[in-house]
Amino acid sequence: MENFEFYTPTKVYFGKDMHRQVGEIVKSYGYLKVMIHYGSGSVKRTGLLDEVTSSLDKSGVEYVLFGGVQPNPTLALARKGMEICEKESVEMILAVGGGSVIDSAKCIADGVGNPGKDVWKFFTKEDAPAKALPVGTILTLAASGSEMSASCVITNEEGGFKRGFNSPTHRPLFSILNPELTYTVNKFQTGCGTVDIMMHTLERYFTVSRNVDLTDRLAEGLLKSVISAGRIADQKPEDYEARATLMWAGSLSHNDLTGAGRNVFMAVHQMEHELSGMYPRIAHGAGLSALFCSWARFVCPYAAERFAQYAVRVWNCEMNFEDPMKTALAGIDATEEYFRSLGMPTSLRELGITDEKFGEMAEKCTFFGERTLPDFIDLDAPEIETIYRMAYED
Amino acid sequence: MENFEFYTPTKVYFGKDMHRQVGEIVKSYGYLKVMIHYGSGSVKRTGLLDEVTSSLDKSGVEYVLFGGVQPNPTLALARKGMEICEKESVEMILAVGGGSVIDSAKCIADGVGNPGKDVWKFFTKEDAPAKALPVGTILTLAASGSEMSASCVITNEEGGFKRGFNSPTHRPLFSILNPELTYTVNKFQTGCGTVDIMMHTLERYFTVSRNVDLTDRLAEGLLKSVISAGRIADQKPEDYEARATLMWAGSLSHNDLTGAGRNVFMAVHQMEHELSGMYPRIAHGAGLSALFCSWARFVCPYAAERFAQYAVRVWNCEMNFEDPMKTALAGIDATEEYFRSLGMPTSLRELGITDEKFGEMAEKCTFFGERTLPDFIDLDAPEIETIYRMAYED
């Protein structure tokens, strides 16, 4: 087990009707003016926005509205949000939506908290935020785990760069998790969310750190539970328990619990960022689903026992003691079959792209040769390109 | 799944040598004068206290020393600590020890934070603390989970009352968890710790709430990992990985993770508090070990399927589909055998007490008829007495 720090100060309010208390909750922290940040308008159609503003009104909390976040949130929109916060003297940002909205809110929060600094430099690691406006969330999509994490991913449209950075400054102060708010999430987005949640744990699980049995077992338990709930939510979108499992697992999958004691790098996420950075219409979960199994098959020979453990404990595969590699591959096959059963793509070809940009994406992924993607082996640009091609041919 | 709030703001610094950074850590929060609170002096003998004061000295943090905490920490000692904090204008309490030292520190913190109020009334629920001095910990015993929990248990020697209360005010600001500091914990205390950790999860697991699959699987994974690590630590006290597993599991077992979405009451803990309240020399873990299986056998007929799930998933028992009760009891037997293998008592008789006080303890446990112990059935005083007697005869 590696040394680690664990810090999850986000207060979670989980369950039915919880979002109706948002006014009281915001006020309990002493904030009286918020910016409600949201997406393309579904929160208006479902009536959620009205419920939120009505709760804020009741508690005497003022608000300004700022919507328009798209999947793969952009730097340009975040810069607009910073202007509004400054002009309106906003005290906290209330993100009502999924990971894109929350990440946009985090970026705005870092920008406003550090006047005079260029917020993009936080993403390129040239600078770091000293503080941020507080962020609270009302989650409407179980997927990114952004509601409890220190991470934030933004796309800079100039150059098609999608970059993430972690900072304690923007970790949400509180998150309101009402599974009922995800009943309206469609089949495809539910599948994307299920894959994203699994991947946040899988990418922590598949690392070289040894003797992390406790973290392993928590990860395996979470995965089993998500696999089952994902199937149910796919078939019965209004199953409260399945939606609740996905929502809580989404938070736990990315708050570091399933990576404690492991050196975590998340190679597939890095590869996917280049993919949806280049093709912003590709949903993050779909990109992960199309890439994971090819990455896994490429690195599996270097970690057959670990992939076998996954196969046996998560997928109930029989262990082949004579040839553990067979068990390892059976676990990857089971994962692929599961993703497909949710209607998720398991090849890049299905995403409707060509194979022309794979070289460029691989170069970008290594920051043009400045890094490799480590784990069981260090992946350099040619190897990353090979994996993109494997994922295309699959 | 029941609605819940989840809030674990304690920052954990986990791993080798972490305690040597305590000076910097305290200073990073802006505190410059601490009271180092500790137990019977083993921290002096092992040299830990010197390492702590040397780190504080280096960072320019002043300190006063206040030791003397015994197992089942007393109100009288805590009151003495409050006086010191007030007289010396202490800004934070640094608890160096196990759960008893941390609980004593929490009690002191609540007392100092609320001048003019009687701190015992927080335990009797007649009053509640508005704030508290901040508490940091350096853990030397994996057991109570107090290092990350909102709970605090104190014994008022006048009347032999042992009472616990939960409050966000005294949840530690940070906890430094270095598994190496537990190498010197002896066989008996290691066993007590392993039982206590398991019990914090088991008492959350055995409740009537339904559809909590994710929490169940996390709990089951944690238990499997603890069972294995407990065996190793019992045989090889300096096995880092086993000590690390116990230490991290101890924190996770009592920070509400393994109870999220369940209505938790912890009946066996309530019964044990009466036991060690009456006989303060009884170690908490030993008391739990002596009581659990009798409680489990008493309530098992009302929840056979749930106990069977525990038996199958945690102990790898074969499911008897024709008679689930047999599987359920096999799981309890396996638990009992495991506790015994660690040298833990599995009957009250082994604790060297008589059966004279069981009626009185049962009465106290129901607050003289003001409450029952709920879960699968509501236990009243006669039933509680029956369980004490079952545990005596075993």
Side-chain angles (χ1 to χ4, degrees):
Chain A
M1 202 188 291
E2 316 282 348
N3 286 6
F4 64 90
E5 291 182 10
F6 185 79
Y7 185 49
T8 55
T10 303
K11 181 155 186 179
V12 171
Y13 298 87
F14 193 100
K16 290 176 184 171
D17 289 326
M18 280 290 182
H19 65 286
R20 294 179 203 279
Q21 300 175 28
V22 64
E24 280 170 64
I25 291 169
V26 169
K27 212 174 158 184
S28 74
Y29 291 100
Y31 300 117
L32 294 172
K33 177 133 187 200
V34 305
M35 180 172 87
I36 303 177
H37 196 33
Y38 59 96
S40 57
S42 68
V43 294
K44 280 190 183 168
R45 287 192 299 279
T46 60
L48 174 59
L49 195 61
D50 282 342
E51 291 175 337
V52 169
T53 54
S54 139
S55 173
L56 294 173
D57 282 337
K58 255 184 230 156
S59 302
V61 176
E62 284 184 73
Y63 55 86
V64 288
L65 296 172
F66 179 49
V69 182
Q70 301 287 332
N72 296 312
T74 66
L75 182 63
L77 189 88
R79 290 207 197 276
K80 215 179 277 180
M82 291 171 212
E83 279 172 31
I84 296 172
C85 285
E86 277 154 15
K87 194 177 136 214
E88 299 276 349
S89 303
V90 162
E91 294 168 5
M92 93 168 276
I93 304 172
L94 181 63
V96 183
S100 297
V101 172
I102 298 170
D103 281 9
S104 182
K106 287 174 172 179
C107 179
I108 296 170
D110 283 322
V112 178
N114 301 275
K117 291 195 172 189
D118 176 6
V119 75
W120 183 245
K121 290 195 174 164
F122 303 152
F123 291 86
T124 59
K125 318 283 196 282
E126 294 166 84
D127 203 349
K131 52 184 187 162
L133 271 194
V135 174
T137 87
I138 298 178
L139 190 64
T140 62
L141 184 68
S144 73
S146 188
E147 67 277 7
M148 210 174 174
S149 83
S151 81
C152 171
V153 181
I154 291 289
T155 297
N156 185 346
E157 285 164 309
E158 293 172 21
F161 289 103
K162 184 172 180 178
R163 290 279 176 270
F165 90 107
N166 292 342
S167 171
T169 53
H170 57 224
R171 200 189 283 261
L173 188 63
F174 67 81
S175 282
I176 298 174
L177 274 55
N178 177 355
E180 295 174 308
L181 298 181
T182 63
Y183 284 173
T184 54
V185 176
N186 67 29
K187 241 174 148 59
F188 176 71
Q189 286 300 337
T190 300
C192 286
T194 303
V195 170
D196 198 16
I197 293 165
M198 287 177 67
M199 287 300 300
H200 285 148
T201 284
L202 285 172
E203 293 233 56
R204 287 170 163 90
Y205 186 83
F206 286 117
T207 74
V208 291
S209 305
R210 298 188 70 85
N211 296 310
V212 202
D213 179 61
L214 174 54
T215 296
D216 274 5
R217 292 200 181 271
L218 297 178
E220 290 152 358
L222 182 142
L223 286 166
K224 281 178 92 91
S225 204
V226 167
I227 289 164
S228 162
R231 275 198 191 105
I232 298 169
D234 180 63
Q235 296 300 317
K236 297 185 194 163
E238 303 205 355
D239 187 291
Y240 181 82
E241 303 303 340
R243 292 294 193 180
T245 297
L246 292 178
M247 196 167 234
W248 185 222
S251 300
L252 296 180
S253 239
H254 207 33
N255 78 354
D256 300 337
L257 177 73
T258 59
R262 295 198 160 277
N263 282 330
V264 173
F265 187 79
M266 308 193 83
V268 185
H269 265 76
Q270 304 302 321
M271 293 179 61
E272 197 290 318
H273 286 175
E274 299 314 325
L275 180 67
S276 53
M278 187 72 80
Y279 305 99
R281 65 180 170 74
I282 295 178
H284 179 55
L288 292 170
S289 179
L291 286 169
F292 173 70
C293 293
S294 296
W295 170 84
R297 290 191 183 104
F298 189 89
V299 301
C300 187
Y302 306 92
E305 293 287 347
R306 182 124 197 101
F307 278 90
Q309 176 182 321
Y310 165 69
V312 170
R313 293 204 191 153
V314 175
W315 293 104
N316 302 317
C317 296
E318 280 278 343
M319 178 64 191
N320 186 326
F321 291 92
E322 289 194 357
D323 190 350
M325 190 65 187
K326 283 201 175 134
T327 310
L329 290 171
I332 299 171
D333 290 346
T335 311
E336 192 163 55
E337 203 174 303
Y338 177 71
F339 287 174
R340 269 196 213 122
S341 78
L342 300 180
M344 286 294 103
T346 53
S347 81
L348 291 178
R349 196 185 292 267
E350 290 170 70
L351 296 172
I353 61 171
T354 65
D355 60 357
E356 286 162 31
K357 305 277 193 183
F358 292 163
E360 184 184 343
M361 282 157 52
E363 283 296 331
K364 272 187 173 173
C365 200
T366 62
F367 296 170
F368 303 98
E370 281 194 12
R371 68 166 185 183
T372 53
L373 302 186
D375 259 339
F376 304 114
I377 50 166
D378 285 341
L379 300 173
D380 57 18
E383 286 167 323
I384 294 167
E385 188 180 343
T386 301
I387 296 172
Y388 281 131
R389 293 201 181 280
M390 280 170 66
Y392 193 74
E393 300 307 328
D394 256 8
Chain B
M1 203 189 288
E2 315 283 349
N3 286 5
F4 64 90
E5 291 180 10
F6 186 79
Y7 185 50
T8 55
T10 303
K11 180 154 187 180
V12 172
Y13 299 87
F14 193 100
K16 290 176 185 169
D17 289 327
M18 280 289 182
H19 65 285
R20 293 180 205 277
Q21 300 174 28
V22 64
E24 280 170 64
I25 292 169
V26 168
K27 212 175 158 185
S28 74
Y29 292 98
Y31 300 116
L32 294 171
K33 176 133 189 200
V34 305
M35 180 172 87
I36 303 176
H37 196 33
Y38 58 96
S40 57
S42 66
V43 294
K44 281 190 183 169
R45 287 192 299 279
T46 60
L48 174 58
L49 195 60
D50 283 342
E51 292 174 335
V52 170
T53 55
S54 139
S55 173
L56 294 173
D57 282 338
K58 256 185 228 156
S59 302
V61 176
E62 283 183 75
Y63 55 85
V64 288
L65 295 171
F66 179 49
V69 183
Q70 301 287 330
N72 296 311
T74 64
L75 182 63
L77 189 87
R79 290 204 197 278
K80 216 180 276 179
M82 292 170 211
E83 279 171 33
I84 297 172
C85 286
E86 277 154 13
K87 195 178 136 210
E88 300 276 349
S89 303
V90 162
E91 294 168 5
M92 93 169 275
I93 304 172
L94 180 63
V96 183
S100 297
V101 172
I102 298 170
D103 280 10
S104 182
K106 287 175 172 179
C107 179
I108 296 170
D110 282 322
V112 177
N114 301 274
K117 290 194 172 190
D118 177 5
V119 75
W120 183 245
K121 289 194 173 166
F122 304 153
F123 293 85
T124 59
K125 318 282 196 278
E126 293 165 83
D127 203 348
K131 50 183 191 163
L133 270 193
V135 174
T137 87
I138 297 177
L139 190 65
T140 62
L141 184 69
S144 74
S146 188
E147 66 278 7
M148 211 175 173
S149 83
S151 81
C152 171
V153 181
I154 291 289
T155 297
N156 185 346
E157 285 164 308
E158 292 172 23
F161 289 103
K162 184 172 179 178
R163 290 279 177 270
F165 90 108
N166 291 343
S167 171
T169 53
H170 57 226
R171 200 188 283 258
L173 188 62
F174 67 81
S175 282
I176 298 173
L177 275 54
N178 176 355
E180 295 174 308
L181 299 181
T182 63
Y183 285 173
T184 53
V185 175
N186 68 28
K187 239 176 151 59
F188 176 71
Q189 286 300 337
T190 299
C192 285
T194 303
V195 171
D196 199 15
I197 293 165
M198 288 178 66
M199 287 300 301
H200 285 147
T201 284
L202 285 172
E203 294 235 55
R204 287 171 163 89
Y205 185 84
F206 286 116
T207 73
V208 290
S209 305
R210 299 187 70 84
N211 296 310
V212 203
D213 179 63
L214 173 54
T215 297
D216 274 4
R217 293 201 181 270
L218 297 177
E220 289 153 359
L222 182 143
L223 287 166
K224 280 177 94 93
S225 203
V226 168
I227 289 163
S228 161
R231 273 197 192 106
I232 297 169
D234 180 63
Q235 296 299 317
K236 298 186 195 162
E238 302 205 356
D239 185 292
Y240 180 82
E241 304 302 341
R243 291 295 192 179
T245 298
L246 292 178
M247 196 167 234
W248 185 221
S251 299
L252 295 180
S253 239
H254 207 32
N255 78 354
D256 299 337
L257 177 74
T258 59
R262 295 198 159 277
N263 282 330
V264 173
F265 189 78
M266 307 193 85
V268 184
H269 264 76
Q270 304 303 320
M271 292 180 59
E272 197 290 318
H273 287 174
E274 298 313 325
L275 181 67
S276 53
M278 187 74 79
Y279 304 101
R281 67 181 170 72
I282 294 178
H284 179 54
L288 292 170
S289 179
L291 286 170
F292 172 71
C293 293
S294 296
W295 170 84
R297 290 190 183 104
F298 190 88
V299 301
C300 187
Y302 306 92
E305 294 287 348
R306 182 127 197 100
F307 278 90
Q309 176 182 320
Y310 165 70
V312 171
R313 293 206 192 151
V314 175
W315 293 103
N316 302 319
C317 296
E318 280 278 343
M319 179 64 191
N320 186 325
F321 291 92
E322 289 194 358
D323 190 351
M325 190 65 189
K326 281 198 177 139
T327 309
L329 290 171
I332 300 170
D333 289 348
T335 312
E336 192 164 54
E337 204 173 302
Y338 177 71
F339 287 174
R340 265 194 217 124
S341 78
L342 300 180
M344 286 293 105
T346 53
S347 80
L348 291 177
R349 196 186 293 268
E350 291 170 70
L351 297 172
I353 62 171
T354 63
D355 61 356
E356 286 162 32
K357 305 278 193 181
F358 292 161
E360 185 183 341
M361 281 157 52
E363 285 295 331
K364 273 187 172 171
C365 199
T366 61
F367 296 170
F368 303 100
E370 282 192 14
R371 68 167 186 182
T372 53
L373 302 186
D375 260 337
F376 303 113
I377 51 166
D378 285 342
L379 299 172
D380 58 17
E383 287 167 323
I384 295 167
E385 188 179 343
T386 301
I387 296 172
Y388 282 131
R389 290 199 184 282
M390 280 170 65
Y392 193 74
E393 298 307 329
D394 256 8

